[in-house]
Amino acid sequence: MTSRPPSAAAGVPRAGRADVFVLGVRHHGPGSARAVRDELERLRPDAILIEGPPEADPIVSLAPGMEPPVALLAHVPGQPSRAAFWPFAVFSPEWQAIVYGTSAGVPVRFCDLPAAHSLAGDGDERVAGLRADPIGALAAAAGHDDPERWWEDVVEHRGDTPFAVIAEAMAAVREGHQPDEREARREAYMRKTLRAAIKKGYGRIAVICGAWHVPALAEPLPPAGADNALLRGLPKVKAELAWVPWTYGRLASWSGYGAGISSPGWYHHLFDAPDRPVERWLAGAAGVLRDEGLPVSSAHVIESVRLAHGLAALRGRPLAGLGEVTEAARAVLCEGDDLAVALIQRRMVVGDRLGHVSDGTPMVPIQRDLREQQRRLRLKPEALDREIDLDLRKPLDLDRSHLLHRLRVLGVGWGTPGQARGKGTFRETWTLRWRPEHDLALIEHAALGTTVETAATQRARGLAAAEPVALADLTSLVELCLLAELPEALPEVLAALSAKAALDTEVTHLMAALPAMVRAHRYGDVRGTPAEGLAAIVRSMLDRICVGLPVAVTGLDDEAAAGLLKHVDGVHSAVALLNEPAGPTPATPAAPVTDGGEEEVMPRGQWLGTLRGISDRQDLHGLIEGRLTRILLDCGGLDDAGDRMSRAMSRGQPPARAAAWVEGFLAGGGLLLVHDPRLLGLVDGWLTGLSPDQFTDVLPLLRRTFGTFAAPERRAVGERLRSAGREAGESAQAVDERRAAPAVATVLSILGAPHPRHSGPVSAPGQADRAPWGRWRGKAER
């Protein structure tokens, strides 16, 4: 079928030279894709024009060797923000036109505004396209409130696509519509490309474009001079084009791609399974649930199919759509479990498919180097999250670690480091997930080197020389250079770090930077990549921290105290690493740091001495004082922790400060309360002594403090309190009344009561009220 303008057939030869067939489509529609493929086989055109950047004409012939989804990437070298993607899925009508043309030997050309112009403007023309909502207007005219659902029913779910009807409908929608400047320029260039194809002598030309543009191309073409005037003087940049892999997750509309769709996996299914799509889809959903260990039988599938068809019939739909099959799966297969529905959504509706470009596709050298390393290291790029554990004692895993860290230097976040299982610095855990944007980042850094290693080295040098750069960023860069094994970049990064550390007088900056420096120092031993000069820089930074910290703890509010506390904990952990042997096996204790002269104080002793001097001050924030007390207690530097806690929680202290002290003290965990009855009793006594209003005020702090304890720790604390209460009750009842009689007599005398004549123990239960202890107990109870 050919598209028809309101007054003439689109297939009539123009000036006796060519037949032009304009096929209006939805950019990602399975029904449109099938219809375009069938129509091209019927028309047998001499040339095919497709909406897209014409700079991609030289590489369109590579399409048959690719596995969609893939995308055309247009970018301006040296300007990462100026880039655009044109994605294609197997169910994209443009892709089916490309596959048909390249396999049949028919010339395929792109006819949209060149990327050189669109990237010189404000954004991606492929995304920006429409200002109006033609599908919404047509759906409203048909009495439907859901444009996407209406389009699926009348176009995508049909066996064929009524191109002529679509062209006529779009012409009606466009009546009275004045295209904006960008839209007008795009259509002017499409007509310019069409004229050039006619001039070359092609007899039958098929144009594949968005349905909205059909009237602008199918009507008698306006004079070329008007279009040339519209295109004259457009801004222009140097744009380069390449094919890159794409993902269905990135194709989904929520990924930010303006022409995307919310259910690429569903559309792929509709394209691949035109026969009984509902039955096949729900059978596949049952398979997904079975893979997760959920019991789903054939009877479940049969009933869910019946329900989906029934819902479609009630709603007047020609075929059950995604809404109907999802509701059927929720009710029958998943039995109302939203988590199971979400699993189907993630695995099938969106999908995890990652495309593949052929080996012959032009790539920048750094891309090709990465591809070769991925093969050598057996790290396949995938769209799904994949977790791997690395043992750095194995050469293969160490090389994998180097590659992933080098990519991090380049801003390619293929791998995200996680918390390694087990102990030891020789293990790493990574979560791998490939995204299309990573290819763009590699291309943008292609000028830095032909391999990942050389590019990462140059990138690290550039980051070290950048201004301004924070001290913490430089220390992180040193650590990353060691992890990535970039020995050629390390001297320059260390020099920049040394200069920055010498000038930075802010103690919190030094504290934030020290942990990464200490880890870097240890990595030099663990990974066999020593970094000369690190020890001296670390010691210099620690010296200045110990000098500046006593001043920094003065006059802090709650927020500042919490921030400083994180730095204190970070430095304390780092100092502990300085005094521990590096590597997976025990080693001899680290020797004292010397500068060629007399022996110096070990870093741990210097640090704890600083904390001890600060902890005795009276102007500390409760959070800081409590945390310093706990650190010193754990390190064996205090023998009066109980007295300090008693003072901090005495009645003379405001409840809020006491609660902050407790929060800081217990930040290291709750087992201390389990093993030290005196400290537990102090905390318990302070809590039970609070008034109701005071308890309400400090409750949020207490919940935050005790909420950090592990569940076994909380249970152990509760058991200790319960047992302490039983012991107190038993000791209160087991009173030696003979020994207590003199004290009771004295108290009764002070109270003005007559002296008891009988001071011995009660000889019988009936005499308890006549005994001195019994009379005191009764008076005390009253």
Side-chain angles (χ1 to χ4, degrees), residues 46 98 243 269 326 335 384 401 418 434-435 519 607 655 689 699 702:
D46 300 327
I98 291 173
W243 287 106
H269 172 76
T326 299
E335 298 180 350
L384 273 177
S401 175
W434 186 263
R435 292 178 173 84
R519 290 195 301 268
W607 170 246
L699 184 58
L702 296 173

Side-chain angles (χ1 to χ4, degrees), residues 645 649 678-690 721 724-725:
M645 177 180 279
M649 294 188 296
R678 184 190 176 194
L679 296 181
L680 179 61
L682 288 171
V683 175
D684 185 45
W686 170 69
L687 282 174
T688 56
L690 293 175
L721 289 172

Side-chain angles (χ1 to χ4, degrees), residues 640-657:
D640 61 343
D643 296 337
R644 289 172 181 259
M645 177 180 279
S646 181
R647 290 195 300 269
M649 294 188 296
S650 64
R651 292 186 178 276
Q653 297 286 356
R657 188 186 188 283

Side-chain angles (χ1 to χ4, degrees), residues 211-257:
W212 176 255
H213 302 297
V214 171
L217 302 177
E219 294 174 352
L221 299 182
D227 287 340
N228 292 335
L230 191 60
L231 296 172
R232 189 175 299 118
L234 287 180
K236 190 175 182 179
V237 294
K238 180 183 178 181
E240 296 182 358
L241 272 289
W243 287 106
V244 295
W246 202 252
T247 66
Y248 275 178
R250 190 70 175 83
L251 184 63
S253 58
W254 46 260
S255 69
Y257 170 55

